[in-house]
Amino acid sequence: MKRTIYFKNHPKIIATSTVAGPKESNGSINKYFEVKLNDDMFGEDTFEKAETKMLYTVIKNSIKNAKYDEDNIDCIIAGDLLNQIISSTFSARKFKCGYLGVYNACATFSESLIVGASMVDGGYMNNVICCSSSHFSSAERQYRYPLELGNTRPPQSQWTITGAGASLISSNGVGPMITAGTIGRVVDYGITDANNMGAAMAPAACDTLFAHFKETGLTPDYYDLIITGDLGTLGSRILKDLIWEKGYDIEKQHVDCGELVYNICEQEYQGGSGAGCSALVFNSYVYNKLNKGLYKKVLLVATGALLSTVSTQQGESIPAIAHAVVVEGNI
Amino acid sequence: MKRTIYFKNHPKIIATSTVAGPKESNGSINKYFEVKLNDDMFGEDTFEKAETKMLYTVIKNSIKNAKYDEDNIDCIIAGDLLNQIISSTFSARKFKCGYLGVYNACATFSESLIVGASMVDGGYMNNVICCSSSHFSSAERQYRYPLELGNTRPPQSQWTITGAGASLISSNGVGPMITAGTIGRVVDYGITDANNMGAAMAPAACDTLFAHFKETGLTPDYYDLIITGDLGTLGSRILKDLIWEKGYDIEKQHVDCGELVYNICEQEYQGGSGAGCSALVFNSYVYNKLNKGLYKKVLLVATGALLSTVSTQQGESIPAIAHAVVVEGNI
């Protein structure tokens, strides 16, 4: 059994694109976002259609940003939090290329990067778009309660990001390179509180990080940045404790996308979450700094809580997963 | 843009495994099934847990049938019809290897084969299990109506299969080889009747078959068998008409898994469907005949209807997709 795979031909992320919701567009890294929405309906009549339009927009813009046209794209690899990943499907419907739907909850974006990098590195495809999205209002009403109820949120909760991000991975061109990935396994520590995703996901992040360090022989200081997807403040603290107990101190390198995206005030509690969280932050803030040479080696570890409303109602605990992707700058 | 990819190192399906529900176990190809259930609850207390146990069973048995143990497996690539693909996640939770969740509705099994074959062929992994499942009762109550309502079924409807199937793809060993795949794109002909999946999916099957023939230069007579996933009787007729109009006659080679699985009587109308349909039929009947040399070249074209209850309620039509996989016998 091996979980770390290496991309020897160094597939490159030649372009990215992001769309951020209104709250995110007022957050701490807003200047890096490409499209900032004033209206979380994005001119549509349902939240689900708005999310679909966000994902469609980042796919379209990533092609434009690469100065490519649609005919250059072999495949869209996408996933999202909605039942039957409809945001992904209905976005892909507008393009002529192939489509592979993927789902690992909020780890979907890094899963899509691993599958996409394998396809390009292995010579099966030349240009692949990897993307994911989430929308606070479509997720909240699907996973928790109708928004109209105005439920009080517990202090350990996170705020599902309204956002989408896409990476165009190519066998040619210039951009940060995907050099390796460590595939997550399903980890379940028995957490049953669907409002405490950070605690459910931190053990999965620890498991994948530990496998990554062990299999590659690397230590945290190899990286300029170890960025988790959406553990939030509490989950990040748990991760740093867990991985420290395994002999690795990631305090200096670690940042969490969910912590980074908001000027955390009372409403978001532990920070952002959602399949759009790592996609939004990676494809804006992180990509920008990789391109400028400010980061040279980044480990993206997006984490996902693999529950559904039915699994929760049937008394199941919350399994989680984390996929790690190594992205190295060209400068 | 290219949609057909070739696996030059010929990853092999060294073992398979299937579990069939009670109705399927009384169908026309029942002698090929490995585990036949008398009870569609499989000893569990919910349909969803029964489906999870079915998928867990085929994963476990495919490892056993290959005379491997769990440590030999690098990754499980799985998907199913339940929201957030919980059957796949909760099955994978019981194994130590990596997990990639995939979703393209009833085309999920062929999607998993394409991703798995790429991983093995590209040298990233040695042994991968590709699998999917469906369960009549868990699907019916999620997608349509509570079973207790006893709704009348319209004549164009299909019957979601209770079944699961797994293929163990390996870089070593002996077995039928996966030599190519054609990745589907999202096709939408504007069908809005969620009880008429065959009509929604047939254009997607036609699109992928046409791309496959065009890109490979092959004609239908290259294959002993062109087997679609779950078009059913009506959908199969539509497909044969559509692809005939494009200049290819598949009448002689074509069989549909959904038509094959039942002794079609009144209740199933157009035949079987579901993500388990192609997984069950391919990993039993088709695999057996490939291994015996009765089929030498098989094109599996699983088709998926990419709707959700929310997309239907919001007035969307039903997009569909089909992924084609070429499997060639070793004998």
Side-chain angles (χ1 to χ4, degrees), chain A residues 163-182:
Chain A
S167 291
L168 201 169
I169 304 181
S170 181
S171 52
N172 291 305
V174 179
M177 308 169 297
I178 302 181
T179 56
T182 299

Side-chain angles (χ1 to χ4, degrees), chain B residues 101-145:
Chain B
V102 290
Y103 181 79
N104 271 166
C106 309
T108 298
F109 179 65
S110 56
E111 182 192 7
S112 75
L113 286 182
I114 287 173
V115 175
S118 303
M119 289 294 177
V120 172
D121 187 71
Y124 307 112
M125 298 177 186
N126 291 319
N127 299 295
V128 170
I129 294 173
C130 302
C131 53
S132 67
S133 66
S134 55
H135 191 297
F136 174 79
S137 300
S138 66
E140 201 65 17
R141 70 179 180 176
Q142 176 184 280
Y143 282 99
R144 296 190 183 90
Y145 300 100

Side-chain angles (χ1 to χ4, degrees), chain A:
Chain A
M1 187 193 305
K2 56 173 185 176
R3 285 167 55 194
T4 301
I5 63 183
Y6 299 91
F7 305 116
K8 288 175 186 161
N9 301 315
H10 295 171
K12 287 155 202 77
I13 305 175
I14 61 165
T16 64
S17 175
T18 52
V19 172
K23 181 193 277 280
E24 293 70 21
S25 297
N26 287 312
S28 47
I29 54 166
N30 59 0
K31 71 172 178 175
Y32 297 96
F33 302 150
E34 186 178 8
V35 176
K36 300 178 205 181
L37 304 182
N38 294 318
D39 165 22
D40 73 346
M41 298 296 283
F42 206 178
E44 298 290 319
D45 57 4
T46 70
F47 298 126
E48 290 75 15
K49 289 183 181 173
E51 185 178 338
T52 301
K53 189 173 174 186
M54 286 162 51
L55 201 47
Y56 167 76
T57 303
V58 294
I59 296 170
K60 201 166 177 62
N61 284 348
S62 67
I63 299 171
K64 191 189 74 186
N65 294 344
K67 299 188 175 60
Y68 276 13
D69 67 37
E70 215 194 297
D71 291 336
N72 298 116
I73 307 302
D74 296 312
C75 195
I76 293 166
I77 302 174
D80 60 89
L81 299 180
L82 296 185
N83 295 344
Q84 286 71 55
I85 56 169
I86 49 170
S87 307
S88 303
T89 297
F90 284 87
S91 309
R93 182 172 67 170
K94 296 191 175 175
F95 296 91
K96 291 175 290 184
C97 62
Y99 165 58
L100 297 172
V102 289
Y103 181 78
N104 271 166
C106 309
T108 298
F109 179 64
S110 55
E111 181 192 6
S112 75
L113 286 182
I114 287 173
V115 175
S118 303
M119 289 294 176
V120 172
D121 187 71
Y124 308 112
M125 299 176 185
N126 291 319
N127 299 295
V128 170
I129 295 174
C130 302
C131 53
S132 68
S133 65
S134 55
H135 191 296
F136 174 79
S137 300
S138 66
E140 200 66 16
R141 68 179 181 177
Q142 176 183 281
Y143 283 98
R144 296 191 182 87
Y145 300 100
L147 293 167
E148 294 78 0
L149 261 181
N151 271 33
T152 308
R153 302 171 70 82
Q156 69 276 26
S157 70
Q158 294 175 248
W159 191 269
T160 304
I161 276 191
T162 300
S167 291
L168 201 169
I169 304 181
S170 181
S171 52
N172 291 305
V174 179
M177 308 169 297
I178 302 181
T179 56
T182 299
I183 293 167
R185 61 179 168 189
V186 183
V187 172
D188 192 331
Y189 267 34
I191 303 286
T192 53
D193 177 2
N195 279 306
N196 194 355
M197 297 297 190
M201 297 190 294
C206 176
D207 182 82
T208 297
L209 271 176
F210 183 65
H212 180 78
F213 293 138
K214 215 174 130 192
E215 293 184 7
T216 59
L218 299 172
T219 50
D221 56 14
Y222 178 78
Y223 294 104
D224 302 317
L225 179 73
I226 296 173
I227 186 159
T228 48
D230 58 350
L231 292 177
T233 306
L234 176 60
S236 293
R237 273 175 51 196
I238 298 172
L239 167 63
K240 283 184 271 192
D241 281 356
L242 288 175
I243 196 75
W244 184 82
E245 283 173 11
K246 298 247 183 198
Y248 296 99
D249 183 352
I250 61 166
E251 183 67 43
K252 260 193 280 182
Q253 294 82 15
H254 178 264
V255 169
D256 183 68
C257 295
E259 277 192 288
L260 198 63
V261 79
Y262 296 124
N263 303 308
I264 296 181
C265 58
E266 204 174 280
Q267 201 180 23
E268 301 91 11
Y269 293 110
Q270 303 296 332
S273 68
C277 186
S278 59
L280 178 64
V281 175
F282 177 83
N283 289 300
S284 57
Y285 175 82
V286 178
Y287 186 73
N288 180 284
K289 291 196 182 288
L290 275 163
N291 262 338
K292 287 189 175 153
L294 298 171
Y295 291 140
K296 293 193 191 310
K297 295 184 173 71
V298 170
L299 186 65
L300 171 70
V301 192
T303 52
L306 300 165
L307 78 170
S308 84
T309 52
V310 169
S311 70
T312 302
Q313 284 157 7
Q314 294 186 0
E316 285 284 5
S317 53
I318 303 171
I321 198 163
H323 299 295
V325 182
V326 182
V327 187
E328 307 199 16
N330 249 334
I331 299 167

